[in-house]
Amino acid sequence: MAQQLESTPALLEYVRRSSLREDDILRRLRAETSGLPAALALQVTPEQGQFLALLVGLTGASRVLDIGTFTGYSSLSMARALPPHGRLVTMDISEKWPSIGAPFWREAHVADRIDLRVGDARETLAKLRAEEGPESFDLAFVDADKAQYAAYYEAALDLLRPGGLIVLDNTLFFGRVIDPAAQDADTVAIRELNQALLDDDRVDLSLLPLFDGITLARKRSGAGGPSEEDRP
């Protein structure tokens, strides 16, 4: 049986040279972000940004949720893949990090497609449901507070149309999910969500060993959202 290749630095560099199409605006935003203390843990890779843009195009998404903005690399990548009438709602707990990305959104001429919401993402998602109604979005990217992933997932599933796609980042969480000694809140939350997703018949599922683990969950037709008591 064929075995997967080990992702050595040399092989990853080859992949980047062979497929990455990061332009100057994205490159400069990534460079500005790289000097921040939280960059290593919070910044998506350029390959991941390109992958997200591809998923937006493949799904024909015109309405996207970006749960966890940081400096807005993922927002910029996905907004550029939207049609001109498209809309991306991105959310973060503070304006501090998104303010770094906002000038790059304007330079890329997609600022009018990006709706930044500042505050607790659970509250933002509840407000979006009240404003837009259920099944009003096409794709959701979840990359925020790991301990709240289950709540974000349920809210996103409710907001997605049938056939819509949820993309969850960090679902292998630096490999900690397989370490029995790792009992911190974030690792436990990711581990429990992975098990819950396996048993969730509302979605089609694939956990890919890419980046830090990325899970694709496609909402099945007829799948309901969370009950009132479970809704964040």
Side-chain angles (χ1 to χ4, degrees):
M1 183 172 63
Q3 299 295 312
Q4 290 187 334
L5 293 171
E6 180 185 358
S7 296
T8 64
L11 188 59
L12 291 174
E13 178 58 30
Y14 173 80
V15 169
R16 182 166 291 185
R17 292 198 313 268
S18 299
S19 69
L20 185 61
R21 295 176 174 177
E22 184 185 45
D23 69 2
D24 182 62
I25 297 175
L26 286 166
R27 189 178 304 110
R28 285 189 284 109
L29 174 54
R30 180 164 60 90
E32 186 158 339
T33 303
S34 66
L36 301 175
L40 185 61
L42 300 180
Q43 173 73 301
V44 300
T45 66
E47 293 85 1
Q48 192 170 1
Q50 186 167 303
F51 180 63
L52 291 169
L54 181 62
L55 290 176
V56 171
L58 286 173
T59 58
S62 62
R63 293 168 65 82
V64 171
L65 295 168
D66 186 16
I67 304 172
T69 312
F70 191 39
T71 62
Y73 192 101
S74 59
S75 300
L76 176 55
S77 298
M78 291 188 288
R80 288 173 125 187
L82 290 171
H85 65 278
R87 177 187 177 211
L88 180 144
V89 179
T90 187
M91 53 202 79
D92 208 276
I93 194 64
S94 164
E95 291 185 6
K96 179 180 180 180
W97 304 127
S99 66
I100 294 172
F104 295 90
W105 301 343
R106 291 192 291 270
E107 184 178 353
H109 305 293
V110 295
D112 59 336
R113 302 178 192 176
I114 299 175
D115 178 2
L116 172 64
R117 306 285 184 102
V118 175
D120 187 304
R122 294 168 301 176
E123 296 177 4
T124 298
L125 290 163
K127 290 177 182 176
L128 282 172
R129 190 183 195 278
E131 294 168 6
E132 312 283 349
E135 301 186 355
S136 52
F137 286 83
D138 305 303
L139 184 146
F141 177 51
V142 181
D143 185 19
D145 179 12
K146 310 311 172 194
Q148 299 299 325
Y149 258 35
Y152 300 152
Y153 168 75
E154 289 293 344
L157 189 66
D158 185 39
L159 283 165
L160 282 189
R161 61 167 172 82
L165 184 68
I166 301 179
V167 184
L168 297 127
D169 196 17
N170 305 116
T171 47
L172 295 180
F173 206 51
F174 310 104
R176 293 174 63 82
V177 288
I178 62 170
D179 180 2
Q183 295 297 322
D184 59 281
D186 288 345
T187 303
V188 170
I190 294 293
R191 193 184 288 132
E192 290 178 349
L193 178 61
N194 287 338
Q195 182 59 53
L197 286 169
L198 178 62
D199 299 329
D200 191 345
D201 61 6
R202 296 172 297 174
V203 296
D204 298 311
L205 180 69
S206 182
L207 195 170
L208 302 172
L210 304 173
F211 314 115
D212 185 34
I214 193 161
T215 294
L216 306 180
R218 181 178 181 270
K219 184 175 180 177
R220 291 176 172 172
S221 297
S227 63
E228 289 293 334
E229 59 268 25
D230 291 336
R231 188 171 295 125

